[in-house]
Amino acid sequence: MKKKILVTGGTGYIGSHTAVELIEDGFEVVLIDNLHNSEAEVAERIGKITGTKPRLEVFDICDREKLNDFFQRNMDVSAIIHFAAYKAVGESVSKPLDYYWNNLVSLINILEGMKDYAVPAIVFSSSCTVYGQPEKLPVTEDAPIQPAISPYGNTKQIGEEIIRDTVAANKNIRAVSLRYFNPIGAHKSALIGELPRGVPENLVPFITQTALGLRDELKIFGDDYDTPDGSCIRDYLHVVDLAKAHVIAVKRMLENKNKHDYEVFNLGTGQGVSVLEAIKSFERVSGIKLKYKITGRRAGDIEKIWADPSFANRELGWKTLSSLDEAMKTAWEWEKAVRKKN
Ligand code: NAD
Ligand code: WQD
């Protein structure tokens, strides 16, 4: 019988790509999402890609009663991948309580549910934001956690601590926190992808929207950093590569291959890419000359960060397969497809 995986935030950007990979790997998938930042139609699109439409339950995970009701009807959930969270860094500074409430209460409810309904395994969406500006690059998992720059980042740090302590106190629960670097791109079908509401905060959707004429020009936030071309450096990985790591992490726990009850992995390519290099990649794959200008630095930006993914490479047998150009190409195909539809 197929093992059932609960994917919270399952109609969101990374959740939807992970649902595809899970279904294609033979799992039954059920999605929960309150559609705060996504659309129900994404479940149909996952169905179009895989031939199996996952069931979507629409409710807020902060609602403990609704979540309990879900678990009562789904006593056979084998593992949870918990994506559901608010993720806009800027908004988290102006609405900290919304972020602490949503990201932490939802996590606590999920963990309570795991205890009450004997769900043994969880994968948590963490972030490279927990490292702040690391002293040593590439950054390894044992690098010191820095004081969070935003309430959003703090919810990831606190979330990891809540999980660590819960696993320590409950011998039947195991967990993996995955610290994502910068996911970009979309499924090759161009049926699912990143769909930010309003003005995008992240670089790649801003680039693709500018190229389509939805934004006048991209502002590059600073060219006076201590980097080879002066712009900030990040580690951009293809969202499908990222999604595949979740399938591996789930199987590792379900097959008792984990070495510790709580494990943490960096997920990145290991390559640092500057903002200007990312733009060049986009221009190469799209054939479009992007309109951009250099402006001042963005408050709170990290100068440079990229992953040392060797622990995930070794322990999970996972590595990124797509190049930056391939990821950019899929981001561009998705942007064009989604605007045609809307
Ligand atoms: P997303 O906004 O596309 O997806 C999150 C989904 O969760 C959305 O569909 C939203 O409607 C849903 N959701 C939020 N709160 C909910 C609640 N209380 N109940 C039910 N559903 C709820 O974001 P994403 O980019 O797919 O990110 C997924 C996870 O990965 C998040 O936890 C995010 O913090 C983390 N993460 C993202 C990035 C990134 O750059 N995208 C990087 C590091 C970590
Ligand atoms: C990338 C680079 C910008 C937009 C965010 C979150 C972090 C994590 C990943 C979730 C930076 C530059 C951007 C623009 C620009 N998410 N840029 N003009 O900064 O790594 O972090 O996503 O956990 O928590 O903070 O990603 O895509 O916002 O920016 O020049 O219009 O592009 O300065 O150097 P970042 P990003």
Side-chain angles (χ1 to χ4, degrees):
M1 224 183 49
K2 288 186 176 182
K3 291 221 159 93
K4 189 191 273 186
I5 312 297
L6 165 59
V7 179
T8 77
T11 46
Y13 174 43
I14 309 170
S16 57
H17 288 83
T18 302
V20 167
E21 297 304 315
L22 286 166
I23 294 168
E24 290 186 341
D25 208 65
F27 288 98
E28 180 185 345
V29 171
V30 49
L31 315 175
I32 301 178
D33 205 297
N34 65 355
L35 307 181
H36 173 84
N37 199 34
S38 58
E39 289 168 12
E41 200 207 321
V42 171
E44 317 282 342
R45 290 166 163 249
I46 295 169
K48 267 196 198 145
I49 295 170
T50 61
T52 310
K53 187 190 153 205
R55 198 172 82 241
L56 166 65
E57 301 220 3
V58 178
F59 65 88
D60 186 337
I61 294 165
C62 296
D63 185 331
R64 186 72 199 286
E65 274 181 27
K66 289 205 174 118
L67 188 62
N68 278 346
D69 173 64
F70 170 86
F71 280 120
Q72 271 156 20
R73 291 181 285 108
N74 294 272
M75 299 288 242
D76 55 345
V77 169
S78 297
I80 300 173
I81 308 183
H82 183 49
F83 292 105
Y86 294 164
K87 64 163 184 179
V89 175
E91 187 184 60
S92 81
V93 176
S94 54
K95 298 179 177 171
L97 292 177
D98 287 7
Y99 274 68
Y100 285 115
W101 176 269
N102 190 60
N103 294 4
L104 298 179
V105 172
S106 63
L107 175 63
I108 291 168
N109 282 352
I110 286 288
L111 292 169
E112 292 276 16
M114 291 176 73
K115 277 173 58 190
D116 294 348
Y117 297 94
V119 182
I122 180 168
V123 179
F124 176 63
S125 297
S126 189
S127 167
C128 65
T129 189
V130 301
Y131 298 119
Q133 176 60 65
E135 269 180 28
K136 275 196 284 178
L137 287 167
V139 63
T140 51
E141 288 83 354
D142 55 7
I145 301 298
Q146 308 264 10
I149 296 163
S150 70
Y152 164 74
N154 211 16
T155 68
K156 293 300 171 190
Q157 297 192 1
I158 298 169
E160 284 196 15
E161 287 171 2
I162 291 173
I163 291 173
R164 184 199 59 207
D165 293 345
T166 304
V167 169
N170 294 275
K171 64 180 184 332
N172 297 326
I173 295 183
R174 52 186 66 173
V176 168
S177 285
L178 299 177
R179 292 179 180 158
Y180 315 153
F181 281 68
N182 291 62
I184 62 165
H187 191 266
K188 61 178 189 293
S189 63
L191 284 166
I192 53 172
E194 186 171 13
L195 194 53
R197 294 203 199 273
V199 182
E201 276 190 13
N202 294 114
L203 178 64
V204 172
F206 209 106
I207 289 177
T208 53
Q209 289 195 12
T210 305
L212 262 195
L214 301 172
R215 310 274 155 215
D216 289 342
E217 63 183 354
L218 171 77
K219 294 185 182 69
I220 297 182
F221 298 139
D223 69 346
D224 56 351
Y225 284 99
D226 181 18
T227 60
D229 65 22
S231 64
C232 291
I233 293 180
R234 298 288 184 273
D235 185 338
Y236 299 97
L237 76 161
H238 196 303
V239 68
V240 173
D241 282 331
L242 177 62
K244 287 180 198 292
H246 293 76
V247 181
I248 296 172
V250 161
K251 285 175 156 175
R252 179 178 171 88
M253 289 187 278
L254 294 182
E255 293 166 9
N256 294 314
K257 286 185 182 151
N258 51 309
K259 300 226 168 100
H260 301 281
D261 288 338
Y262 178 53
E263 299 181 315
V264 178
F265 296 98
N266 281 346
L267 298 179
T269 65
Q271 301 295 319
V273 169
S274 74
V275 177
L276 286 163
E277 287 169 336
I279 292 170
K280 280 193 200 114
S281 165
F282 174 78
E283 292 185 331
R284 219 166 21 239
V285 300
S286 67
I288 288 175
K289 183 93 196 71
L290 193 77
K291 281 194 217 147
Y292 64 83
K293 71 167 180 211
I294 315 279
T295 61
R297 294 181 175 196
R298 180 171 70 176
D301 250 341
I302 302 298
E303 180 171 86
K304 50 187 165 203
I305 184 165
W306 62 96
D308 180 340
S310 53
F311 187 49
N313 298 161
R314 201 169 60 241
E315 279 298 315
L316 300 179
W318 171 88
K319 67 176 172 42
T320 55
L321 299 174
S322 291
S323 66
L324 176 66
D325 281 7
E326 285 161 351
M328 277 290 180
K329 176 102 181 121
T330 57
W332 179 229
E333 295 307 326
W334 158 250
E335 186 73 67
K336 286 187 291 184
V338 80
R339 298 303 155 186
K340 217 179 269 169
K341 173 178 127 348
N342 290 337

